[in-house]
Amino acid sequence: MKNRGWIPVILLLLVACEKSTTRETVETTPVSYNENIPDFYADSAYAYIQRQVDFGPRVPNTPAHRQTADWLVAKFESFGLAVERQEFTAKTHDGLNWNLTNIIASFQPQASKRILIAAHWDTRRIADKDSERINEPIDGANDGGSGVGVILELARVLSLTELPPSVGVDFILFDGEDDGEPEFSRRRNNNEIWWCLGSQHWSKNTHKPGYSAYFGILLDMVGGKSARFYKEGYSIHYAKNVVDKVWSYAHFLGHGDFFIMRQTEAITDDHLFVNKDANIPMINIIEYSPDYGFGHYHHTHADNMDLIDRKTLQVVGETVLFTLYQE
């Protein structure tokens, strides 16, 4: 993960216009919010990330990958959620056949209005941005593990609360997201995208025929120290109203230092395919700066538990949980 994506000319114009200003202003009109929400526990999310890392790199077709899948399904089931495995095979950029599994867990499956919260649970099999051990898989504590950790804690909290939100929530853990071409040999083939294999499959073959959601939120690299989250380009293009309200909720909660009112470029990630193929407006909360790109740890062995910060997990978890309770 990830490469900078192509966006239509109209979006490029929008980006150019936004870059001509410094920062957006936060809406100051008084708004009434539902603040009767349960607590999100960063220590719990952190422990879920640690457990994933303990299995070893979650590279498809490995024992660690299969063991992690079983553990994830068991955790969701322990929270009382309805869980499905969407198993499929996909070919990689270098011709391997991978057995992949998207994991779908539904809270309040009877609710007609649904919100989709997603992350990817696989890890990259090479450290192609590192200077050593390039051909060894990475821990993926942040790139993969952090989004899953936040989702598991959200699922746990929702399963225990006596005052749940009025909406149903579908948590989807996409597989095969992080195996695009190596940084040093990327092929320019506009007809095939080798990233995001799980979301590409699910978006064309949803787990329920005709499935739809009011909107979705993708969580990717949401646990790093000093992380900052900008308004990502595809998110603005497909779901600007969702971006704006989530960022406004974050500022209302006092998390304005993390959720920056500034747009960055489009990133090819799981939300792109959910938007264009499943027609569900989905945004991406991802650490990517318009000034320096991805964090220094990206696709290196520095993406380990030393990188994970409970404060960042708390900020993201609170913001997403708050969002669910406003619907």
Side-chain angles (χ1 to χ4, degrees), residues 119-135:
H120 76 89
W121 68 276
D122 62 300
T123 52
R124 190 155 176 78
R125 58 171 143 143
I126 56 173
D128 48 324
K129 287 187 177 180
D130 215 322
S131 59
E132 57 185 20
R133 298 164 53 209
I134 293 173
N135 292 318

Side-chain angles (χ1 to χ4, degrees), residues 179-252:
D179 197 61
E181 304 95 318
E183 190 75 17
F184 48 78
S185 63
R186 183 163 296 159
R187 290 173 290 172
R188 300 300 177 184
N189 182 353
N190 292 329
N191 296 321
E192 190 109 33
I193 298 176
W194 300 103
W195 306 93
C196 310
L197 300 177
S199 57
Q200 289 196 62
H201 178 82
W202 179 87
S203 297
K204 296 176 181 177
N205 307 273
T206 54
H207 62 291
K208 295 185 183 302
Y211 172 85
S212 187
Y214 188 55
F215 65 83
I217 299 175
L218 177 65
L219 305 176
D220 198 352
M221 298 191 290
V222 292
K225 295 177 181 177
S226 303
R228 296 296 180 266
F229 306 109
Y230 294 80
K231 297 181 173 184
E232 181 271 339
Y234 282 132
S235 303
I236 290 289
H237 178 63
Y238 287 104
K240 184 179 185 300
N241 63 322
V242 181
V243 174
D244 289 344
K245 71 179 179 181
V246 171
W247 260 247
S248 69
Y249 295 157
H251 280 250
F252 174 78

Side-chain angles (χ1 to χ4, degrees), residues 268-287:
T268 299
D269 207 344
D270 289 318
H271 70 308
L272 171 60
F273 305 97
V274 175
N275 274 297
K276 72 183 188 69
D277 294 329
N279 295 313
I280 296 171
M282 189 177 209
I283 70 169
N284 193 4
I285 300 177
I286 184 171
E287 182 183 356

